[in-house]
Amino acid sequence: MQERSSVADLVESLRRDLNRYSPGEKLPSSRALVERHRVSPVTVSRALAALAAEGLVVTRPGAGAFRAAPRVAAPRAGDTSWQEVALSVETPGESVPRSVDASGVLATLAAPPPGILELNAGYLHPSLQPERAMAAALARAGRR
């Protein structure tokens, strides 16, 4: 016994008929499709939803179904060739060394000379932090 799906049959029929319509052109109304193919309105609705999921049809509530514009090719992937250079291992015979001068990074991580308060770290200087007051407040809160 072979089962027949009226939705699948209607989808195939509409897919063949789509070639007659230009992109943006309105398809026959749901009522016309019901009468022409002798199926229920639910079957027409499901078939149009299947075609919309494939990107062949655009449905607009209250306006009808329209043939979708052809899909534009996906943009090419970005150029990631720089990663080959940045992440590759340095070979002994290489003309351009790939070592990095880290002196700038190390200078920003070094402790400042005495008497200088750095304001770029986002934290108070240890001498300005109220450690004793905070300890006393926490001890009082813990006792309560």
Side-chain angles (χ1 to χ4, degrees):
M1 182 172 147
Q2 183 179 8
E3 290 188 29
R4 184 172 159 256
S5 170
S6 56
V7 174
D9 292 343
L10 183 58
V11 167
E12 287 304 316
S13 176
L14 290 176
R15 191 178 284 126
R16 284 190 306 270
D17 291 346
L18 280 176
N19 295 331
R20 295 186 304 175
Y21 299 98
S22 59
E25 189 176 351
K26 187 174 184 198
L27 299 177
S29 69
S30 293
R31 286 182 185 163
L33 292 174
V34 166
E35 291 174 11
R36 181 185 306 159
H37 296 282
R38 302 210 185 271
V39 292
S40 72
V42 173
T43 302
V44 170
S45 176
R46 288 181 180 168
L48 289 175
L51 291 173
E54 292 176 18
L56 299 173
V57 172
V58 176
T59 58
R60 296 184 198 130
F66 301 85
R67 177 163 179 203
R71 292 185 180 174
V72 179
R76 286 185 1 166
D79 180 21
T80 57
S81 61
W82 63 271
Q83 293 177 348
E84 295 174 13
V85 174
L87 301 175
S88 64
V89 178
E90 191 172 322
T91 57
E94 238 179 325
S95 61
V96 178
R98 293 189 183 152
S99 60
V100 176
D101 180 22
S103 61
V105 174
L106 294 176
T108 60
L109 295 176
I116 294 179
L117 297 178
E118 284 193 280
L119 301 176
N120 64 349
Y123 295 101
L124 289 174
H125 189 268
S127 65
L128 298 175
Q129 292 180 4
E131 292 175 355
R132 287 189 180 149
M134 286 295 292
L138 287 173
R140 281 192 307 275
R143 284 192 302 268
R144 292 183 185 165

